[in-house]
Amino acid sequence: VTFLLYFISGKTELTPESEALLQEILAAIKTKKSNDISVVGHTDRVGDGDKNKILSLQRAESLAAWMAAKGVDRNIIDITSHGEENPVIPTEDDVAEPKNRRVEVTIR
């Protein structure tokens, strides 16, 4: 199962709608008895590409840290990031696109 969590522009702070999904993620991990979780960070194309790579990783790491704080074994969480590459909605540089500011959590 995959969850898409969205972030406020330029921050590692989730949107309120995405915060509401956090408990569903924990429930899915428990239900599936998961031992394989991937957390992949993304950004939109606003700002410097190198900074966006860092931001996308910070977003993924913050979500993994939250899961670990809730009791998920950190060793089963794989963290990667794509920066502004692999957008859901392709845009030109410096175009804000909320759907591209995301972390994809896949629970296997």
Side-chain angles (χ1 to χ4, degrees):
V1 63
T2 298
F3 293 88
L4 296 176
L5 301 169
Y6 299 100
F7 289 79
I8 295 171
S9 183
K11 299 186 183 239
T12 58
E13 183 181 341
L14 289 168
T15 64
E17 298 82 9
S18 291
E19 277 189 44
L21 295 174
L22 293 175
Q23 295 308 313
E24 290 182 40
I25 290 171
L26 290 179
I29 293 168
K30 184 176 180 181
T31 299
K32 289 194 167 287
K33 297 180 176 137
S34 177
N35 63 1
D36 185 9
I37 301 168
S38 68
V39 180
V40 183
H42 300 269
T43 65
D44 60 18
R45 296 187 59 125
V46 173
D48 179 73
D50 290 335
K51 288 182 182 177
N52 282 338
K53 286 180 185 176
I54 293 167
L55 178 59
S56 68
L57 181 60
Q58 290 171 334
R59 287 173 173 168
E61 287 175 339
S62 71
L63 202 46
W66 178 85
M67 286 189 280
K70 296 296 183 183
V72 177
D73 181 356
R74 181 60 188 87
N75 293 317
I76 68 168
I77 303 171
D78 180 50
I79 299 172
T80 57
S81 64
H82 294 263
E84 57 189 46
E85 303 299 320
N86 300 319
V88 171
I89 299 174
T91 66
E92 297 295 322
D93 282 344
D94 293 318
V95 174
E97 176 47 61
K99 292 197 184 283
N100 291 338
R101 296 189 300 262
R102 70 196 189 282
V103 165
E104 299 173 11
V105 177
T106 303
I107 301 164
R108 297 178 197 84

